């Protein structure tokens, strides 16, 4: 038995890798919560896994470069919930943004 095989390898494609803690199991398979950075609300997004990486799981499809993915506490989230984005500090009454008030 013989076979001819042709492979197309795209060396320029960098696989997206996310932490395992980002994954949830929806009724239709693996999913993650992506943050809409304008309205700071999350939406559940189905993903296709592409294997395990040293630092997480590879995403074969479902995400785009630049998507902000929630990496912790995903079991508490629901579609449309608003979240605080990292690095955002609130200003206190004294005007010192390093103090939380």
């Amino acid at each position: 038995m013989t076979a001819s095989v042709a492979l197309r390898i795209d060396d320029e494609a960098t696989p997206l890798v996310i932490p395992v803690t980002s994954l949830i199991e929806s009724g239709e398979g693996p999913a993650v919560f992506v943050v809409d950075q304008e309205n700071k609300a999350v939406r559940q997004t189905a993903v296709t896994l592409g294997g395990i990486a040293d630092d997480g799981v590879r995403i074969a499809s479902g995400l785009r470069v630049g998507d902000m993915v929630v990496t912790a506490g995903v079991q508490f989230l629901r579609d449309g919930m608003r979240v605080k984005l990292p690095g955002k500090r609130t200003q206190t009454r004294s005007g010192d943004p390093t103090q939380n008030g």
Side-chain angles (χ1 to χ4, degrees):
M1 179 181 283
T2 61
S4 295
V5 178
L7 297 175
R8 180 175 174 220
I9 299 173
D10 185 1
D11 289 335
E12 295 182 26
T14 302
L16 294 173
V17 176
I18 62 171
V20 174
T21 57
S22 301
L23 291 175
I24 61 169
E25 181 64 35
S26 72
E28 299 169 13
V32 298
F33 282 100
V34 175
V35 180
D36 178 332
Q37 295 181 46
E38 276 190 42
N39 66 16
K40 299 176 185 73
V42 296
R43 74 177 184 287
Q44 186 174 314
T45 303
V47 294
T48 303
L49 303 182
I52 302 296
D54 289 339
D55 53 349
V57 291
R58 289 184 189 95
I59 302 299
S61 66
L63 293 177
R64 296 180 307 232
V65 173
D67 280 348
M68 182 180 285
V69 175
V70 178
T71 61
V74 295
Q75 69 274 20
F76 301 111
L77 296 177
R78 300 290 176 262
D79 271 334
M81 289 180 82
R82 292 179 54 102
V83 295
K84 285 187 178 181
L85 298 179
K88 302 289 182 186
R89 290 201 159 167
T90 58
Q91 191 166 356
T92 64
R93 286 182 219 142
S94 67
D96 183 355
T98 62
Q99 301 293 316
N100 289 328

